[in-house]
Amino acid sequence: MAARAEGNDSLKKALHEAQMEIRQLHATIGALRHELEQQRADKEEAIQQAVAGAQGEIKQLHGTVRALRDELESLQASKHDAVQKANADAAIEITDMRRTATVLRDQMEMLKRDCDDRVAGIERTARGELKELQDTARHLRLELEKAHGR
């Protein structure tokens, strides 16, 4: 009986040790399960933070694209306005230059007519004086011939 009691004790001890090992294994499994769940939660949180960060960056990039598009459109409109103003200014300047050229041409033609009229007047006067001088020379020649008896 002593051997049986000893066998019973060793069986109880082995059972107790097995139960202790089972409890430790359950505790280890629980700890591992908890750690695995924590890692999953951390991973999920990291994914959500990455997604939130990416969405924030996407939103910022959309804003930047919109601002750049607005600036580009503004520059294009400004360029278009500058070209239109330059064309309008050039058209005004061309009109002014044509008007000035017309006025100068009219003045030049008037001066030419005045010069032509003066030259014609001088020529008439010169012809008149020449005719008068010729008449005077002829008259003097006749008087001279009369005086010399010819």
Side-chain angles (χ1 to χ4, degrees), residues 45-59:
E45 185 179 339
I47 289 171
Q48 292 203 0
Q49 285 179 351
V51 167
Q55 287 175 342
E57 187 175 349
I58 288 170
K59 188 175 183 179

Side-chain angles (χ1 to χ4, degrees), residues 11-87:
L11 189 60
K12 282 184 183 181
K13 186 177 177 185
L15 182 63
H16 179 68
E17 286 177 10
Q19 287 176 344
M20 290 301 288
E21 189 175 345
I22 289 171
R23 282 187 194 138
Q24 284 180 345
L25 288 173
H26 278 292
T28 302
I29 289 170
L32 289 172
R33 184 174 289 143
H34 177 72
E35 188 176 333
L36 181 62
E37 287 174 3
Q38 185 64 41
Q39 285 181 356
R40 282 183 185 160
D42 290 347
K43 183 179 176 183
E44 186 63 33
E45 185 179 339
I47 289 171
Q48 292 203 0
Q49 285 179 351
V51 167
Q55 287 175 342
E57 187 175 349
I58 288 170
K59 188 175 183 179
Q60 183 182 6
L61 289 172
H62 278 290
T64 301
V65 167
R66 194 173 16 264
L68 289 172
R69 185 181 302 124
D70 291 347
E71 186 177 344
L72 179 62
E73 288 173 357
S74 173
L75 287 172
Q76 287 174 336
S78 183
K79 177 184 166 188
H80 179 73
D81 291 347
V83 167
Q84 292 297 324
K85 185 181 181 327
N87 285 340

Side-chain angles (χ1 to χ4, degrees), residues 131-147:
K131 186 172 181 342
E132 201 176 298
L133 287 173
Q134 287 172 343
D135 289 347
T136 301
R138 207 180 3 249
H139 180 65
L140 288 174
R141 196 175 294 128
L142 287 174
E143 281 185 25
L144 192 60
E145 286 176 0
K146 272 187 195 177

